Amino acid sequence: WLDPFDDGPDPDMEYGSLYFEGKQDEDPRPPDDPTNPYGFLKFPPGYNVEVASLGLKVRGDVRRCCVVVAGGVYENLLFFPVIQLIKDRYPGVQVDVLASARGKQAYEMNKNVRWADVWDVEQDFPDPGEYTDMIGILKSRYYDMVLSTKLAGLGHASFLFMSSARDRVSYVYPNVNGAGAGLLLSQTFTPSGLNLSEAGYHMYEQMIDWLARPTFNVPRQPVPPLKVSISKKLREVVQEKYANSGAEKNKYVVIHGIESDSAASMRSRGDSDSLLPIQIWAEIAQSIRGFRPLFVIPHEKEREDVEEAVGEDSSIVFITTPGQLAALINDSVGVITTNTAALQLANAREKPSIALFSSEEKGRLFVPGAEEKKCVVISSKTGRLIDIDVEAVKNAMQIFEGSLAIA
């Protein structure tokens, strides 16, 4: 049988059969009509109502995805490569985020996220009204996939199940608390411990391995590096801040990780010993040559202690959001920090950095491939960060000399 209308295989088709193999196409729907007075008629005049693509059922396309990220700024920052991986694997997907109030601040640096909503996923007894309202919001957005980094028991699994998403993917407790959760979830990951953050930079490795898996004739998706974007408005605000403190662009070194009880310290939940007293920072700052040390404080109450330790003419900047911290690091020659979000932001912006850790093991976990990232890792010999070798930090200052030539 010869089909007169058969022109042979489509040269533009990258993969195999339509709707069955390969990646999904960008969403072909026309944009919503903002002038339409009817809320249920979102399509412009002259167009048909949306008909769900066959690929959604056959190939498992994902048009809308919601990620529930537990933890603070540090944990949400390390989730950025996962979001980029989702965007690469499912072209045209819209990604929304549920995060804590502190964690949501990180998404002003991520252009891949459509909406970021505050929801404390780790509260044991949420308010019933807020709980049902959030479930209603998730249902009304018609997600195809929901991902969660919180260890799920039966309660959290029920929350994800009631979102009505087709694919419900989450970590589950590795002990008896995870009993029954798998019945309500499409895919589960069982971590080795109760704290994902202890795994360091690759804390989401199991989820990444599942998302990047080769399926439907699509090869394994490469995992992108951590990248952040900084808006023009953020840059202007931060430039005014460090200019008022007496620092100049490309002529200062950011010092982050001053001991404080503030929630804006931006440290990892997997490393409790990650802040240093100002007295040790003052000793380190005295050895900085050619650049001005710029101290970042997470709370105004720390300003007096810093001025007392390093002098009243020192440069001090009060910063509480990761976006402003990223802009500050971007205009610097480099960073000296403990294990806080400043370390990951310096690596994301490809700035030289000196990272102080309480042990060598922590350094390997949180900064894999340190040499490629222009990062010098200095570990304490005793297992306590307060016993860090200040002389070793002083010798590592040479990493900033290349930045002086560039500046």
Side-chain angles (χ1 to χ4, degrees), residues 197-244:
S197 303
E198 290 177 351
Y201 183 83
H202 296 298
M203 61 185 288
Y204 304 118
E205 188 172 12
Q206 289 173 288
M207 182 175 283
I208 287 174
D209 189 58
W210 181 80
L211 286 169
R213 71 197 186 283
T215 53
F216 300 108
N217 210 21
V218 179
R220 177 168 288 277
Q221 191 73 34
V223 182
L226 171 63
K227 295 291 180 186
V228 297
S229 55
I230 304 169
S231 67
K232 184 179 178 182
K233 186 176 181 181
L234 264 180
R235 293 175 193 267
E236 292 172 353
V237 170
V238 171
Q239 281 174 359
E240 185 180 352
K241 278 193 173 186
Y242 69 69
N244 291 339

Side-chain angles (χ1 to χ4, degrees), residues 10 12-29 50-63 89-90 166 215-218:
D10 186 354
D12 297 326
M13 190 173 290
E14 186 178 354
Y15 298 99
S17 307
L18 187 66
Y19 294 131
F20 180 70
E21 293 178 315
K23 292 184 181 179
Q24 65 191 47
D25 298 320
E26 294 276 351
D27 200 343
R29 291 180 305 158
E50 176 198 2
V51 178
S53 167
L54 190 61
L56 285 171
K57 190 70 177 173
V58 179
R59 187 173 47 193
D61 291 357
V62 178
R63 292 295 181 200
R89 178 62 185 80
Y90 301 104
R166 183 193 64 216
T215 53
F216 300 108
N217 210 21
V218 179

Side-chain angles (χ1 to χ4, degrees), residues 6 10 27 35 63 88 99 116 141 242 245 312 321 330 347 378 383:
D6 184 8
D10 186 354
D27 200 343
T35 61
R63 292 295 181 200
D88 293 342
R141 291 178 180 173
Y242 69 69
S245 70
E312 293 189 2
T321 69
N330 192 58
N347 293 338
I378 299 173

Side-chain angles (χ1 to χ4, degrees), residues 94-108:
Q94 293 178 321
V95 181
D96 300 337
V97 172
L98 289 188
S100 64
R102 180 65 63 181
K104 179 193 171 182
Q105 294 177 333
Y107 293 98
E108 65 179 336

Side-chain angles (χ1 to χ4, degrees), residues 137-333:
I137 290 173
L138 296 182
K139 285 175 75 71
S140 67
R141 291 178 180 173
Y142 299 100
Y143 291 118
D144 300 313
M145 179 189 289
V146 173
L147 304 172
S148 175
T149 68
K150 182 193 183 301
L151 299 188
L154 193 56
H156 185 57
S158 303
F159 176 77
L160 299 178
F161 181 80
M162 287 187 284
S163 69
S164 300
R166 183 193 64 216
D167 299 327
R168 301 170 298 280
V169 183
S170 178
Y171 286 87
V172 295
Y173 280 104
N175 52 26
V176 69
N177 291 323
L183 298 172
L184 302 175
L185 299 172
S186 313
Q187 179 71 32
T188 60
F189 313 115
T190 307
S192 56
L194 293 174
N195 188 355
L196 279 183
S197 303
E198 290 177 351
Y201 183 83
H202 296 298
M203 61 185 288
Y204 304 118
E205 188 172 12
Q206 289 173 288
M207 182 175 283
I208 287 174
D209 189 58
W210 181 80
L211 286 169
R213 71 197 186 283
T215 53
F216 300 108
N217 210 21
V218 179
R220 177 168 288 277
Q221 191 73 34
V223 182
L226 171 63
K227 295 291 180 186
V228 297
S229 55
I230 304 169
S231 67
K232 184 179 178 182
K233 186 176 181 181
L234 264 180
R235 293 175 193 267
E236 292 172 353
V237 170
V238 171
Q239 281 174 359
E240 185 180 352
K241 278 193 173 186
Y242 69 69
N244 291 339
S245 70
E248 297 179 41
K249 186 175 182 178
N250 292 330
K251 293 185 180 179
Y252 64 86
V253 174
V254 174
I255 291 180
H256 194 267
I258 297 173
E259 192 173 45
S260 172
D261 58 358
S262 171
S265 297
M266 302 188 214
R267 57 182 179 176
S268 169
R269 293 187 175 185
D271 189 1
S272 56
D273 187 13
S274 57
L275 297 176
L276 276 175
I278 183 57
Q279 290 75 18
I280 296 177
W281 282 120
E283 192 177 345
I284 293 172
Q286 286 174 359
S287 60
I288 297 177
R289 298 286 181 266
F291 304 108
R292 189 177 183 89
L294 182 64
F295 295 87
V296 178
I297 55 173
H299 199 284
E300 278 292 351
K301 66 182 180 183
E302 312 295 341
R303 185 181 293 273
E304 192 175 329
D305 295 337
V306 176
E307 288 178 347
E308 186 179 336
V310 296
E312 293 189 2
D313 59 339
S314 57
S315 294
I316 303 169
V317 174
F318 168 52
I319 280 182
T320 60
T321 69
Q324 291 189 14
L325 182 60
L328 187 72
I329 290 170
N330 192 58
D331 284 354
S332 70
V333 292

Side-chain angles (χ1 to χ4, degrees), residues 4 24 36-37 80 278 326 335 360 403:
Q24 65 191 47
N36 198 314
F80 279 24
I278 183 57
V335 181
E360 286 186 18
S403 299

